Amino acid sequence: MTGWNISPFEADGLRVSALRPPVVPEPPRHGEDPADCDECRSRDEGIWINDRWRLARIPGVGVPLVLMLYPRDHYDMADLPDELAAELGVLTTHVVRHVQALPHISRAHVYRIGDGSAHLHVWFFARPEGQSQLYGSWLPVWDDLLPEYPADIADADATAVAKALTASYGGTAQTPTAN
């Protein structure tokens, strides 16, 4: 993959890490017990909220905007009720539309990675317009390597997304607070 023109790494000097032996049983993820779940304790925080979902801005990132969508109640992807699963699809599409409507954004990438937390969280990464080197699956890696994006601009973009989401989907836009 380092041969791709979008790789954030030069191929020279890189080597593949040795694959460690499996650890079984796997260690528990954060929040396996809802009583210990930070996302459950933060169920009223974010830039947008409705009865069943909340959207938060992730601070300290290198790309223009990273948002995270959570169900307000404690569910993971596999135990999400069908009604919420259907909402997740429609709500995800609305968030992507509004992120991509920002004037300096080309794409909104959506990721669900469930190894760190037992509470469902869906990532939205905004790829800046004209930055084709940040295409595709390398975007979260680039995000970790880039200098921090200005918080005031990210807050303004998050506010615009939250207001547009309120208009298109309902819910309530809230004053941006970094998660």
Side-chain angles (χ1 to χ4, degrees), residues 20 25 40 42-43 57 64 72 85 95 104 118 147 156:
R20 294 183 296 270
C40 286
S42 302
R43 70 185 317 271
R57 182 177 83 76
R72 291 184 68 202
V95 173
H104 52 283

Side-chain angles (χ1 to χ4, degrees), residues 21 24 34 39 49 58-59 64 66 70 76 79 94 97 116 118 120 123:
V24 179
E39 282 68 63
I49 196 165
I58 304 301
V66 176
Y70 308 88
D76 200 354
D79 60 351
H94 280 254
R97 286 176 188 155
L120 175 61
W123 298 83

Side-chain angles (χ1 to χ4, degrees), residues 11 24 46 52 67 69 90 105 130 146 166 170:
V24 179
R52 295 158 26 133
L67 302 174
L69 180 65
V90 173
I105 302 301
L146 295 170
T166 299

Side-chain angles (χ1 to χ4, degrees), residues 4 12 19 21 24 30 37 43 46-47 58 62 65-66 69 72 83-84 88 118 143 160 169 172-175 179:
W4 298 356
D12 292 339
L19 186 61
V24 179
H30 175 75
C37 179
R43 70 185 317 271
I47 62 167
I58 304 301
L65 189 61
V66 176
L69 180 65
R72 291 184 68 202
E83 185 177 347
L84 283 177
L88 175 61
D143 175 61
Y169 193 83
T172 304
Q174 301 191 129
T175 302
N179 193 6

Side-chain angles (χ1 to χ4, degrees), residues 3-154:
W4 298 356
N5 66 352
I6 58 174
S7 171
F9 303 106
E10 296 290 334
D12 292 339
L14 283 180
R15 58 191 172 104
V16 175
S17 298
L19 186 61
R20 294 183 296 270
V23 175
V24 179
E26 291 188 4
R29 297 176 299 165
H30 175 75
E32 291 284 358
D33 178 353
D36 296 327
C37 179
D38 290 338
E39 282 68 63
C40 286
R41 285 191 289 275
S42 302
R43 70 185 317 271
D44 297 326
E45 298 173 13
I47 62 167
W48 174 89
I49 196 165
N50 76 4
D51 290 341
R52 295 158 26 133
W53 298 95
R54 71 181 184 96
L55 185 67
R57 182 177 83 76
I58 304 301
V61 298
V63 297
L65 189 61
V66 176
L67 302 174
M68 186 87 72
L69 180 65
Y70 308 88
R72 291 184 68 202
D73 293 331
H74 192 81
Y75 294 108
D76 200 354
M77 182 69 83
D79 60 351
L80 198 62
D82 287 349
E83 185 177 347
L84 283 177
E87 285 181 16
L88 175 61
V90 173
L91 186 52
T92 295
T93 301
H94 280 254
V95 173
V96 166
R97 286 176 188 155
H98 301 316
V99 170
Q100 289 183 183
L102 295 168
H104 52 283
I105 302 301
S106 283
R107 299 284 178 266
H109 295 259
V110 181
Y111 301 89
R112 186 277 178 166
I113 304 165
D115 286 328
S117 175
H119 193 117
L120 175 61
H121 52 292
V122 178
W123 298 83
F124 297 83
F125 281 79
R127 184 180 62 75
E129 185 174 33
Q131 290 291 325
S132 61
Q133 192 175 2
L134 306 184
Y135 274 9
S137 59
W138 283 110
L139 185 61
V141 177
W142 274 109
D143 175 61
D144 285 340
L145 300 172
L146 295 170
E148 186 173 339
Y149 196 81
D152 59 331
I153 299 172

